[in-house]
Amino acid sequence: VINNEKSDKITTKTIFKLGTTVGNECPPKQWCLSKRETVNTYENWRQNLLYCLSLDPSFAPYLGDGVIWTKKSRGIQNRGFVDDQPPIPETQRKTAVQKATILELMLGQIANFCPVISRNTIVRNSSSLNEIWNAIRLHYGFQSTGGHFIDIAEIHMEHEERPEDLFQRLMASVEDNLLRQGGGITHHGRDVIEDEDLTPSLENFVVLTWLRLIHVGLPRLVKQRYGTELRGRTLSSLKPEISQALQSLLDELQQTEEVRTMRSSTFNASRST
């Protein structure tokens, strides 16, 4: 609890603990990052952490997009913050010292749940949340770059992997490569001015890629089986129906291959005689 008095003193009678009740809210328990994470598990961690932090009103001003501060150094006082002035009501004003202290409390909470990154990198040397997220992504090797998109070509169906798990892994990789404002990647020489959304055409491409990774013959069979529906619906919108019928589609492909193999064997045998 922060005592917002003019004296610049901050007392912490109650320490904010992530994963405990704050007011009437009971957030999901926050967990630490491990040595090995995927894009999906990292993003789950980040979103849950942001939600937990947002439950403390003192942290809210530092969680918005574009919020920056200065690195902690002797030459710059209070991380670049200044005292609040009118028209902010006097009871709601904070001094620069209070702002810097609250910020470092928040950064300390992030560092507590991110043991894979140096604490000073987060608490002392960061200047924004985006900088912290980029440092974590760099650590795990899935930072956003133009070359990271090409890694999608390496995705394949692993042994005993469920088709739905493959789809989620593929979708997570595509979503992670959507262009973002301030991401440091240009498109045809132009900066990205707003975050890219997952378009219907890109969703269709993800489903098409998913089918091909399961079996190279699936796209053609799906086109034949769902030809009528595809006249007025997108491939992505048919994904739930295709998933339910996936095993029967694979069985049909297997039967077709067995018939083809049998005919080829019969033909070769007749030629040899």
Side-chain angles (χ1 to χ4, degrees), residues 15 33 37 46 78 95 106 116 125 146 161 169 172 176 267:
I15 300 175
L33 286 173
E37 299 286 350
R46 187 179 74 89
N78 303 319
T95 66
M106 184 190 78
V116 296
N125 300 327
E161 183 176 26
R169 193 157 55 91
D176 188 57
F267 177 75

Side-chain angles (χ1 to χ4, degrees), residues 39 133-149 151 176-177 183 185:
V39 170
W133 307 146
N134 288 335
I136 298 172
R137 294 172 66 89
L138 179 63
H139 172 80
Y140 288 115
F142 43 70
Q143 69 276 18
S144 296
T145 66
H148 185 46
F149 183 84
D151 292 339
D176 188 57
N177 277 279
I185 300 178

Side-chain angles (χ1 to χ4, degrees), residues 8-9 23 35 44 68 79 88 91 99 109 111 122 136 142 145 162-163 166 179 183 200 229 252:
D8 290 345
K9 292 182 179 180
K35 292 182 179 180
N44 290 340
I68 60 174
R79 310 294 290 257
I88 299 175
T91 57
K99 292 179 182 179
Q109 291 291 342
I122 296 175
I136 298 172
F142 43 70
T145 66
R162 295 172 60 250
L166 172 64
L179 296 178
E229 291 87 342
E252 184 174 338

Side-chain angles (χ1 to χ4, degrees), residues 22 27 44 62 67 112 133 146 153 169 173 206 250 253-254 267 269:
V22 179
N44 290 340
Y62 309 98
V67 178
N112 289 343
W133 307 146
R169 193 157 55 91
S173 295
V206 171
L250 291 172
L253 286 171
Q254 184 176 358
F267 177 75

Side-chain angles (χ1 to χ4, degrees), residues 1-11 13 83-84 89-99 101-102:
V1 177
I2 296 179
N3 183 13
N4 186 22
E5 297 179 352
K6 294 181 179 180
S7 62
D8 290 345
K9 292 182 179 180
I10 295 180
T11 59
K13 294 181 180 179
D83 296 347
D84 286 337
E90 186 174 358
T91 57
Q92 299 178 17
R93 295 177 196 169
K94 289 184 174 63
T95 66
V97 172
Q98 288 175 318
K99 292 179 182 179
T101 302
I102 295 170

